[in-house]
Amino acid sequence: MGGRGQIVRMETQQNSFTLPAEYVVDYEALLHDAGLEGTTVVLYLLQHLPFKWRDLYVAAASRPTNIVRFSCRSFEYIFDLYSELELMGEVPYDQTVEDRVVAVFGTSARPDEPRDGIRMPGWLGETGEILGATRDKGHFIAHCMGGGLDVNVFSQDRKLNRGWSPQGKTYRQMEKYCQGHPGTFCFSRPIYADTSSVPRWLEFGVLKEDETLWVEVFDNLPS
């Protein structure tokens, strides 16, 4: 991929969500700058997006952060390992503050193993009892497009995860695009409104074959 892309925002069928200003990334400007530098869009995004996401997350946090970065399969994770600060005695223990994902990014791939039907039910326990009747054990990156378990799993609105709501249909459409086009650059960025690991919003982005960037914001805690 090369050349300049342009942002295309495809709204959900009935609702669109706008992030508070302190969480907004100007993706259109990034694509513009990639064109000016004459580099590939993917390379430019890989070089700049992780730091923009990190900086916005740290600036919005109301507490110290411990940002780490690691790879799993074809994706990279930016993660706030707050519990390490507690273990080292750098901050007091606080059970309301949870380790959590800052962003996941990489290229879609075909699953390298079958879905684990044993480990998923064991994560946190029975879904309805632990998360509630309206929640699912969702994936930042779906299994069908190369995602794994562990830190990739989070508490997700059931209608969004299963494609039952208008925004859920769009969410599934984006996942299916990545599944049907292995090697597609994509990302999932949770945005939090408290100190828990449950995102208030989910920002999902897909760089399509025509180098347009499809970015949507989804409500993960609908009323």
Side-chain angles (χ1 to χ4, degrees):
M1 293 183 179
R4 177 180 174 181
Q6 70 179 86
I7 192 166
V8 176
R9 181 169 298 278
M10 300 180 66
E11 306 294 353
T12 52
Q13 295 181 29
Q14 295 182 4
N15 301 295
S16 61
F17 300 94
T18 302
L19 291 174
E22 62 267 28
Y23 302 115
V24 172
V25 173
D26 190 342
Y27 293 106
E28 189 170 12
L30 282 174
L31 291 173
H32 174 74
D33 292 343
L36 293 178
E37 290 202 4
T39 186
T40 64
V41 175
V42 171
L43 180 60
Y44 193 85
L45 293 177
L46 286 172
Q47 290 174 338
H48 293 84
L49 271 182
F51 301 103
K52 287 189 176 293
W53 289 328
R54 178 204 62 188
D55 291 348
L56 287 174
Y57 176 85
V58 171
S62 58
R63 55 164 178 79
T65 59
N66 182 31
I67 307 299
V68 299
R69 183 169 166 177
F70 59 89
S71 299
C72 182
R73 301 179 180 177
S74 59
F75 290 90
E76 287 193 64
Y77 288 75
I78 305 172
F79 193 75
D80 184 3
L81 189 59
Y82 182 84
S83 61
E84 185 176 59
L85 300 179
E86 296 176 321
L87 290 173
M88 296 174 64
E90 295 185 14
V91 296
Y93 177 76
D94 186 343
Q95 64 180 358
T96 68
V97 180
E98 299 179 324
D99 295 340
R100 59 195 189 182
V101 168
V102 176
V104 189
F105 59 97
T107 54
S108 63
R110 293 185 175 86
D112 57 8
E113 58 188 25
R115 182 183 295 273
D116 194 326
I118 298 176
R119 287 184 62 202
M120 267 299 285
W123 183 78
L124 287 182
E126 200 281 323
T127 303
E129 292 182 6
I130 302 299
L131 302 180
T134 63
R135 312 298 295 175
D136 268 350
K137 296 172 183 176
H139 298 74
F140 289 114
I141 301 297
H143 177 266
C144 67
M145 48 188 279
L149 296 175
D150 302 314
V151 298
N152 189 48
V153 180
F154 71 104
S155 172
Q156 187 173 20
D157 172 62
R158 179 164 295 177
K159 291 182 179 180
L160 172 61
N161 182 48
R162 302 189 184 190
W164 291 350
S165 63
Q167 65 165 356
K169 288 179 172 60
T170 301
Y171 190 82
R172 280 297 187 90
Q173 186 181 1
M174 298 178 82
E175 290 182 330
K176 288 179 179 178
Y177 182 92
C178 295
Q179 178 185 11
H181 299 79
T184 294
F185 175 79
C186 55
F187 61 83
S188 180
R189 181 172 68 123
I191 295 100
Y192 306 92
D194 56 24
T195 58
S196 77
S197 60
V198 181
R200 178 63 184 82
W201 300 279
L202 291 168
E203 184 178 68
F204 198 78
V206 176
L207 186 64
K208 300 175 73 174
E209 287 185 316
D210 61 0
E211 294 189 339
T212 58
L213 187 60
W214 178 11
V215 180
E216 292 280 359
V217 176
F218 301 97
D219 185 2
N220 190 46
L221 294 174
S223 56

